[in-house]
Amino acid sequence: MIITISGVPGSGKTSAGKIVAEKLGLRFYSIGGLRAKMAEERGITIDELNVLGEKNHSTDTDVDAYQKKLGETEDNIMIEGRLSWHFIPNSFRIFLSCEPDEAARRIFLAKRQGARTDEPEYESVADARKRLDERMASDRRRYRAIYDVDYQDPSHYDLVVDTTKLDGAEATVTAILDALKTRLA
């Protein structure tokens, strides 16, 4: 079984993905984590890496080639990444959405608690919201230019979960596992 999980920043992709992978005995890969590491190695934020990626597509294409290869050579994996559904079309494709203000609040708090080292410093939740809007616009421009896809189009996914009002990652995990049980039945 291969599961891919995509979504907007702050929707809980990584947290839910790790838990689902553990519960199902799957190996977990984070493409977002690879890009965060790429940004840190360059001494820039993820937003700065995205701006660079609008001119130098290798910031995306390198990790995309990696995840495509994973989908072709491995099984029993969970891959978190904005375009994982695109590169591994035979996967169970999940998209997590979240209202922008709640997503910004989550990322603002995670940065303040030291859990998001690739994020810039935010002055407020409103500042985080503004920058997340800019990040998602950059994502859409890059993915449209490179692959002519829109990762936020729900028609690409087998399951769409709005995490805005869900009580933590476990509630998201429950929704995912329930959908998987239905699919496998």
Side-chain angles (χ1 to χ4, degrees):
M1 169 186 292
I2 299 176
I3 302 172
T4 54
I5 188 166
S6 182
V8 298
S11 61
K13 298 174 302 297
T14 305
S15 298
K18 285 179 180 177
I19 296 168
V20 168
E22 183 178 324
K23 287 183 181 271
L24 297 178
L26 306 175
R27 184 174 302 143
F28 179 78
Y29 292 96
S30 174
I31 302 307
L34 289 175
R35 294 193 80 251
K37 184 176 179 179
M38 186 185 298
E40 286 181 29
E41 288 171 351
R42 293 172 185 221
I44 59 177
T45 67
I46 193 69
D47 294 330
E48 292 166 327
L49 182 70
N50 289 345
V51 170
L52 175 64
E54 289 185 41
K55 296 179 182 112
N56 177 357
H57 295 308
S58 70
T59 65
D60 284 298
T61 57
D62 290 350
V63 295
D64 293 339
Y66 173 71
Q67 67 182 319
K68 183 176 185 206
K69 184 174 181 171
L70 285 173
E72 294 168 347
T73 61
E74 291 198 31
D75 196 10
N76 298 317
I77 57 175
M78 162 75 92
I79 300 181
E80 170 270 319
R82 296 260 198 287
L83 295 181
S84 299
W85 62 271
H86 177 71
F87 294 104
I88 310 172
N90 61 323
S91 63
F92 182 76
R93 300 167 309 232
I94 301 167
F95 183 83
L96 301 184
S97 65
C98 187
E99 291 296 323
D101 289 336
E102 174 60 14
R105 185 189 72 77
R106 291 174 183 177
I107 289 177
F108 177 79
L109 291 175
K111 176 63 179 178
R112 287 279 162 107
Q113 296 165 354
R116 298 289 302 256
T117 58
D118 61 317
E119 293 286 340
E121 293 297 330
Y122 300 114
E123 296 175 14
S124 63
V125 172
D127 180 43
R129 164 74 194 269
K130 178 179 176 267
R131 292 189 197 198
L132 290 176
D133 288 346
E134 292 167 358
R135 180 182 305 165
M136 288 189 294
S138 175
D139 287 345
R140 286 181 124 158
R141 283 190 300 271
R142 291 189 339 272
Y143 304 152
R144 180 75 63 197
I146 301 168
Y147 305 112
D148 194 29
V149 297
D150 178 1
Y151 80 98
Q152 292 188 35
D153 179 348
S155 70
H156 298 305
Y157 302 95
D158 300 305
L159 175 66
V160 177
V161 178
D162 182 348
T163 68
T164 305
K165 294 182 179 167
L166 294 180
D167 188 21
E170 285 295 338
T172 302
V173 168
T174 298
I176 292 169
L177 293 176
D178 287 349
L180 282 169
K181 284 178 194 170
T182 301
R183 181 181 186 203
L184 297 173

